[in-house]
Amino acid sequence: MAILKSYGVRLRESTPQFPRPNLCDNYKRRNVKWRSPQAAVIPNFHLPMRSFEVKNRTSADDIKSLRLITAIKTPYLPDGRFDLEAYDDLMHMQIENGAEAVIVGGTTGEGQLMSWDEHIMLIGHTVNCFGGSIKVIGNTGSNSTREAIHATEQGFAVGMHAALHINPYYGKTSLDGLISHFDSVLPMGPTIIYNVPSRTGQDIPPHVINNVAQSPNLAGIKECVGNDRIEQYTGNGIVVWSGNDDQCHDARWSHGATGVISVTSNLVPGLMRELMFGGKNPSLNAKLLPLIKWLFQEPNPVGLNTALAQLGVVRPVFRLPYVPLPLEKRVEFVNLVKEIGRENFVGKNDVQVLDDDDFILVGRY
């Protein structure tokens, strides 16, 4: 019994003693004006994982001069993995027909359906095989700043020439948050900021762009709001690419845009190059508008995936949730190809109307 009492005394003595709160102190704390803990934000705590040998291969000025940039399609094998042979053929067609750069893993390339391993692998493959002939711009943006930083570090490490960054979507942030997000990735290398409110649910206003434009790594803006916004930027010396194929001719020749980041150039790269390099050409623009309208009748890349499959340059494989356009729309595409001229489209096979059963929809890959 004496042993138990002794143990109890030692236990009480070893119990930590905390000071009782002073009610007066609590009152003072409640009435002190709250201030943002800015000292807790240490933006340079982690040194950037970058190589100047890689970064210095291309400057922001090299990117600023590009006029035709194709948002390249990612083709698939029947099990949903990348079809690199078909991808390489698409890349050769872009280079041969005058595209100056490609966006890898963008919306058109279905980066949103890729794992980051797939994403960085495809950027590295494109650089390794084609980086000497065409500029490779990797879509390493994310609505998570942490992911955007990590993916951009990896993209530049495997040799991409520039990064494409979108503003955080769905979990939207404030305008100050947008600036902080872009400031976190701009130091890594040449960067294009992509503004597409119809997808992100939030416009990137000129105030934000004018702020981040102080970085020497900002190559320019891919702008989808319209030509009035484009002219607002170009009048202030900021490089802009039109993100709307149906407006890119006027953007280029009447509103000061440097060029276009195009979906349609996956199909007719030669004609899109002529549209960007050959001076005002309203007749060619009018010739292409029905095709562009057809491509975007459903959210991109549904139309493009359907078209490339019917041209026989990719397998008719779709990663869900994308599905092909219905039969009547597939017939319309065949007629458009005939009107514009099969020789203007990529590939050598005759265009054909595919049946529903010809398509493979993959949910697990």
Side-chain angles (χ1 to χ4, degrees):
M1 191 68 177
I3 294 174
L4 290 175
K5 288 181 180 178
S6 175
Y7 176 78
V9 170
R10 287 199 301 271
L11 184 62
R12 287 193 297 272
E13 289 175 350
S14 64
T15 302
Q17 301 297 312
F18 297 100
R20 291 188 176 183
N22 186 306
L23 295 179
C24 183
D25 289 343
N26 284 344
Y27 174 79
K28 290 178 181 178
R29 283 197 293 270
R30 286 197 301 269
N31 285 274
V32 172
K33 184 178 180 181
W34 181 85
R35 290 186 299 174
S36 174
Q38 294 184 10
V41 180
I42 311 174
N44 294 322
F45 181 77
H46 295 286
L47 295 175
M49 188 184 74
R50 66 186 180 195
S51 165
F52 285 99
E53 293 298 327
V54 172
K55 180 181 145 187
N56 284 341
R57 292 194 317 185
T58 298
S59 68
D61 287 338
D62 293 327
I63 302 301
K64 290 177 180 180
S65 64
L66 303 173
R67 297 186 184 181
L68 177 58
I69 303 173
T70 297
I72 193 74
K73 152 74 176 168
T74 306
Y76 304 114
L77 295 168
D79 61 3
R81 291 175 299 135
F82 293 163
D83 185 346
L84 291 180
E85 291 183 5
Y87 179 82
D88 293 348
D89 287 342
L90 291 176
M91 286 296 304
H92 281 298
M93 295 174 200
Q94 291 298 314
I95 293 168
E96 291 167 2
N97 287 281
E100 298 173 291
V102 290
I103 304 289
V104 179
T107 307
T108 305
E110 299 178 26
Q112 61 275 15
L113 303 186
M114 297 179 189
S115 68
W116 278 116
D117 284 346
E118 288 180 313
H119 211 129
I120 301 301
M121 181 275 282
L122 191 59
I123 293 172
H125 171 80
T126 309
V127 172
N128 183 49
C129 296
F130 306 103
S133 303
I134 197 167
K135 297 299 183 188
V136 178
I137 303 167
N139 171 32
T140 54
S142 172
N143 59 350
S144 161
T145 303
R146 177 185 62 84
E147 284 191 7
I149 291 171
H150 185 61
T152 303
E153 286 177 337
Q154 291 187 323
F156 279 117
V158 300
M160 70 182 185
H161 301 105
L164 180 73
H165 279 283
I166 202 164
N167 51 311
Y169 47 89
Y170 187 71
K172 297 181 288 186
T173 185
S174 63
L175 298 187
D176 287 343
L178 290 180
I179 293 171
S180 295
H181 178 80
F182 292 130
D183 281 345
S184 297
V185 294
L186 276 164
M188 298 177 193
T191 299
I192 297 173
I193 291 177
Y194 180 17
N195 186 32
V196 55
S198 63
R199 288 188 180 272
T200 65
Q202 182 181 36
D203 181 30
I204 306 175
H207 160 72
V208 171
I209 298 302
N210 292 333
N211 189 296
V212 299
Q214 299 172 32
S215 169
N217 280 333
L218 182 67
I221 315 300
K222 177 185 178 183
E223 183 57 76
C224 296
V225 165
N227 288 339
D228 289 342
R229 176 72 65 83
I230 288 175
E231 189 165 347
Q232 184 177 353
Y233 286 138
T234 57
N236 291 326
I238 297 175
V239 171
V240 186
W241 293 271
S242 174
N244 300 323
D245 284 351
D246 59 341
Q247 299 177 359
C248 70
H249 172 269
D250 292 347
R252 171 78 179 93
W253 301 111
S254 301
H255 298 278
T258 295
V260 63
I261 297 179
S262 176
V263 176
T264 308
S265 56
N266 278 278
L267 299 175
V268 286
L271 295 183
M272 290 302 295
R273 179 181 172 88
E274 185 178 346
L275 204 64
M276 290 296 101
F277 281 81
K280 284 189 176 182
N281 194 337
S283 61
L284 176 58
N285 188 50
K287 183 178 181 179
L288 290 172
L289 283 177
L291 173 64
I292 295 170
K293 181 179 179 180
W294 182 91
L295 272 176
F296 293 97
Q297 61 190 301
E298 294 290 352
N300 181 51
V302 170
L304 177 65
N305 293 352
T306 305
L308 288 171
Q310 295 198 165
L311 289 168
V313 294
V314 304
R315 289 180 169 88
V317 179
F318 282 65
R319 280 186 174 184
L320 290 170
Y322 299 121
V323 297
L325 289 174
L327 180 60
E328 62 270 22
K329 300 300 181 181
R330 303 200 291 267
V331 173
E332 287 179 12
F333 177 71
V334 171
N335 293 330
L336 283 169
V337 172
K338 293 177 180 178
E339 292 173 10
I340 296 172
R342 177 64 182 90
E343 68 279 3
N344 293 309
F345 286 78
V346 294
K348 298 179 180 179
N349 297 328
D350 290 336
V351 62
Q352 57 182 320
V353 178
L354 296 179
D355 294 328
D356 291 343
D357 293 341
D358 292 326
F359 292 95
I360 300 173
L361 309 182
V362 184
R364 291 187 176 184
Y365 39 85

